[in-house]
Amino acid sequence: MNLLWLVPVLPLAGFVLNGALALAWPKAKPLVTAIGVGSVAAAFVVAVLVVRALAAAHLGAPVVFTYWDWIPVGTLHVPAALQLDQLSAVMLLVVTGVGSLIHVFSVGYMGDDPGYARYFAYLNLFVFFMLTLVLGASFPVMFVGWEGVGLCSYLLIGFWFNERINADAGKKAFIVNRIGDVGFLIAMLLIFQHIGALGFGEVFAKAPTALSGSAATAIALFLFLGCTGKSAQIPLYTWLPDAMQGPTPVSALIHAATMVTAGVYLVARCGVLFAMSPVASAAVAGVGALTALFSATIALKQWDIKRVLAYSTVSQLGYMFLGVGTGATAAGIFHLATHAFFKALLFLGSGSVIYAMHHAYHATHSHDDAQDMRNMGGLRHHLPWTWVLMWIATLAIAGVPPLSGFFSKDEILGAAFARGALVPGWYVFWGMGLAAALLTAFYMTRLMLYTFHGSNRTGDAARAHLHEAPWVMTGPLVALGVLSAVGGIMNLPDLVRGGERLAHWLEPVTRASAALWPEAPVGAATEWTLIAIAVVVALTGIVGALRLLRPEALVPAKVAPPETGLGKLLWKKWYIDEIYDTLIVRPVMWVSRVVLWKVVDEKIVDGAGVNGTAAVSRALGWLGSRLQTGELGFYVVLFVVGVVLVLRAVVR
């Protein structure tokens, strides 16, 4: 376990080396590849060794490694320290394991890009900050990683910044995340005010006695505000769909498997604080359920293959918050892990499709949209591996047994239903989760039908150039396909004698918060009924899509009729971006340009301040120059007048 420091340091070294190569020798692709992929793969190997050591030690408390004093100010002492426990161990393996596969995929996907070295430098830097986030032993250390992944998200979303749409998407992600981060900062200040410490161990130990109900609620809600930004929940979810402007492997790494799960990890880490506040926990679960359902409706009518997956990610994150907000921390983390498998597979699979479409269109000098599903169709004949593997991921996310997504999603829905016996409002959350599951099965089947089935709509010339991606890209898909299929064994329920191994593994971390939640037992008969309902809902969504959709009737995007009615409303994303633009963006821009710039800056600061001071200085200089006549008599008169004025003042 003493090697823990090496896990984040390895990708940081990769960033430094590849950053230097990007500046000095950007064409050294083999060296860039070895450093970029090797550093993260090595971090994964070290992470496995560290987690094995933790498992062998059977520790009931976290292991904290302190390296130096970072912030020694008055009564505030924050060391640069990393913490290893069962929760951070899960995140450690997800970040480095899935991250390694995505790095390998990137070698093929980004192979022809002139910014190859810069790309891997950014990717390595992101992994370093994400590892800092999950390993930090205190809120400030975690916040360094929290802000770092936000920075890297901005750099990677706007990687192709020469196009305005890409640069704007990166800027939007950065700004929206800053709104949420204000909540995180306020929560840290409140924690220090009430507890006098910021280390996780001390805060969670003192919180039950040091915090009143209102203080715990305020802290938890401000923390959750930070989570809504980082993990794209209502109302701060709008940045994530636009983030699809970045390279597809970036979407798989940052916006499916790691960064966007940071908010879920934060709620799980602060389980004691949320368990102390029924209001905050209900807010987490309610916002999660609403986000899961709302974003699923938008995914029903998107045509860009990556945008469908983006809204799917927002929806699945909602499920995770429903889990951790219900007190089912293990279920939420379980879904976090399985989602990393099947959503990374879906994003990388879409990357394989886009790669094939792009090369086919490039070979035929076509300029059609390579990401619009209306321009695809029948690709199963040309990309058989991608087709099979993406169907595995689709069935997993839809919740079809025995694939991984079925078990993790079912545990969350079961926990919400069980909580409803104590607080009836949770039945509403359970119903919303079921409705989102129905829509998920429908829109994911729609994606597969329009992409891989029906007639091919790429055109005769492009069709001849369609082929599977190279194995450096397909290999990671196979590995993720296996994980998507069998990942459920991590936490099989006792109902099937699975032992709930992940739940037991996390017990040392979740024990304190679990003690604050009231018991919500569910009988075996009820559990089987809930499972049957979930399976029926998933199959209804899939069969409904198969029966209602006609991929053979679809036409290419350039000749497709415009959307109308409800379809247009969903395609335009309920006009939420337009509403935000009207109510927030434009007023802020008006205040910035008209009030702050034209009035405050130009007239007050520049006019009365800078320019006014200069005018007064010039006037005084002119007056002084007029007094310098060179005539002795004039100087004597001034001297006498001055003396008279001084004497008069003294006499008074």
Side-chain angles (χ1 to χ4, degrees):
M1 285 187 285
N2 291 328
L3 294 176
L4 183 65
W5 63 273
L6 197 56
V7 180
V9 165
L10 282 167
L12 177 61
F15 160 70
V16 172
L17 294 174
N18 272 336
L21 288 173
L23 296 173
W25 193 13
K27 295 184 179 180
K29 280 189 180 179
L31 187 56
V32 170
T33 301
I35 294 171
V37 177
S39 61
V40 179
F44 173 66
V45 172
V46 176
V48 170
L49 297 175
V50 166
V51 174
R52 287 185 61 184
L54 176 67
H58 300 289
L59 299 176
V63 183
V64 178
F65 298 92
T66 302
Y67 300 104
W68 67 83
D69 257 352
W70 178 32
I71 308 177
V73 181
T75 59
L76 174 63
H77 290 275
V78 180
L82 302 181
Q83 174 174 308
L84 179 66
D85 59 15
Q86 289 75 10
L87 177 58
S88 59
V90 173
M91 297 299 295
L92 203 62
L93 295 177
V94 169
V95 172
T96 57
V98 176
S100 296
L101 294 174
I102 295 171
H103 274 68
V104 173
F105 183 92
S106 296
V107 174
Y109 192 86
M110 299 295 291
D112 297 330
D113 196 281
Y116 189 78
R118 177 169 60 91
Y119 170 83
F120 272 101
Y122 290 166
L123 219 57
N124 287 167
L125 183 64
F126 167 79
V127 174
F128 162 72
F129 278 125
M130 190 66 199
L131 291 171
T132 302
L133 189 157
V134 301
L135 291 175
S138 64
F139 284 101
V141 175
M142 182 184 188
F143 191 68
V144 170
W146 189 274
E147 290 300 292
V149 293
L151 167 65
C152 293
S153 177
Y154 165 75
L155 295 173
L156 286 163
I157 294 169
F159 182 77
W160 291 313
F161 56 83
N162 288 327
E163 294 185 38
R164 176 68 181 270
I165 188 174
N166 301 333
D168 286 347
K171 184 170 63 176
K172 183 177 182 179
F174 191 80
I175 293 172
V176 173
N177 271 270
R178 298 293 74 71
I179 298 171
D181 294 349
V182 171
F184 196 135
L185 281 170
I186 294 173
M188 281 198 290
L189 295 175
L190 290 174
I191 290 170
F192 184 70
Q193 178 188 9
H194 288 87
I195 298 178
L198 290 173
F200 291 144
E202 195 172 356
V203 169
F204 302 146
K206 293 182 177 180
T209 56
L211 294 179
S212 63
S214 58
T217 297
I219 290 170
L221 288 176
F222 277 118
L223 285 173
F224 184 54
L225 176 59
C227 297
T228 60
K230 197 65 67 185
S231 294
Q233 297 295 284
I234 292 173
L236 301 180
Y237 71 94
T238 54
W239 67 270
L240 194 146
D242 287 358
M244 298 303 107
Q245 294 301 133
T248 301
V250 170
S251 304
L253 179 64
I254 297 182
H255 308 118
T258 54
M259 172 183 156
V260 291
T261 62
V264 180
Y265 169 75
L266 176 59
V267 176
R269 173 61 70 195
C270 301
V272 170
L273 301 177
F274 284 90
M276 291 176 61
S277 172
V279 173
S281 56
V284 173
V287 169
L290 179 61
T291 304
L293 179 57
F294 179 74
S295 55
T297 64
I298 299 176
L300 289 172
K301 204 57 181 175
Q302 300 304 303
W303 293 109
D304 185 308
I305 187 172
K306 286 176 62 179
R307 198 166 287 269
V308 175
L309 297 177
Y311 281 105
S312 171
T313 296
V314 177
S315 180
Q316 296 303 307
L317 288 166
Y319 274 110
M320 297 175 209
F321 279 109
L322 175 59
V324 294
T326 304
T329 303
I333 297 301
F334 184 26
H335 197 56
L336 183 155
T338 59
H339 177 262
F341 301 151
F342 57 69
K343 186 52 65 63
L345 173 54
L346 287 168
F347 267 117
L348 295 186
S350 71
S352 184
V353 169
I354 294 167
Y355 179 88
M357 293 286 292
H358 174 77
H359 281 265
Y361 282 149
H362 180 74
T364 58
H365 305 287
S366 174
H367 299 288
D368 290 349
D369 188 349
Q371 296 183 195
D372 196 309
M373 293 185 294
R374 291 171 293 188
N375 296 331
M376 300 176 186
L379 295 186
R380 71 184 187 277
H381 303 297
H382 308 279
L383 287 77
W385 282 93
T386 303
W387 171 58
V388 170
L389 292 167
M390 285 191 70
W391 261 117
I392 292 174
T394 295
L395 296 176
I397 194 175
V400 174
L403 303 177
S404 61
F406 162 74
F407 292 103
S408 57
K409 188 181 293 186
D410 182 69
E411 282 196 25
I412 291 172
L413 292 174
F417 184 88
R419 189 66 58 194
L422 302 175
V423 184
W426 253 266
Y427 284 133
V428 177
F429 300 158
W430 172 73
M432 294 167 71
L434 272 184
L438 175 67
L439 298 183
T440 300
F442 187 92
Y443 70 67
M444 285 305 306
T445 304
R446 170 181 178 267
L447 181 148
M448 293 300 296
L449 290 177
Y450 287 164
T451 302
F452 292 99
H453 297 265
S455 58
N456 187 279
R457 297 178 295 277
T458 60
D460 294 335
R463 187 182 307 126
H465 296 276
L466 288 170
H467 57 81
E468 195 72 78
W471 272 101
V472 72
M473 295 169 63
T474 308
L477 300 186
V478 174
L480 290 168
V482 173
L483 291 171
S484 299
V486 305
I489 63 175
M490 287 189 295
N491 201 45
L492 291 176
D494 288 332
L495 200 64
V496 294
R497 299 180 181 180
E500 295 187 342
R501 285 180 286 185
L502 180 62
H504 290 306
W505 168 259
L506 292 173
E507 271 183 2
V509 180
T510 61
R511 187 182 297 118
S513 60
L516 299 174
W517 283 95
E519 287 290 329
V522 174
T526 303
E527 282 195 61
W528 280 115
T529 302
L530 293 175
I531 289 173
I533 292 173
V535 172
V536 169
V537 165
L539 294 178
T540 300
I542 294 172
V543 173
L546 293 173
R547 295 292 299 273
L548 296 175
L549 301 178
R550 294 289 180 266
E552 64 276 3
L554 210 61
V555 295
K558 59 186 176 184
V559 295
E563 302 288 353
T564 58
L566 179 61
K568 183 177 181 180
L569 186 63
L570 298 179
W571 176 62
K572 297 293 281 186
K573 303 158 287 185
W574 295 99
Y575 290 94
I576 297 299
D577 281 301
E578 289 79 2
I579 293 172
Y580 281 5
D581 186 64
T582 301
L583 298 181
I584 300 173
V585 177
R586 291 184 183 179
V588 169
M589 294 292 287
W590 182 85
V591 170
S592 300
R593 290 174 176 170
V594 177
V595 179
L596 298 179
W597 176 20
K598 297 295 183 181
V599 177
V600 176
D601 191 21
E602 290 189 349
K603 294 184 178 179
I604 298 177
V605 176
D606 286 344
V610 178
N611 297 335
T613 302
V616 171
S617 298
R618 283 196 300 269
L620 292 175
W622 178 86
L623 180 60
S625 68
R626 299 285 76 78
L627 296 176
Q628 302 300 320
T629 64
E631 298 179 2
L632 183 59
F634 181 70
Y635 294 157
V636 171
V637 171
L638 288 180
F639 178 75
V640 171
V641 172
V643 170
V644 171
L645 292 175
V646 171
L647 290 174
R648 185 179 180 185
V650 171
V651 170
R652 285 184 178 179

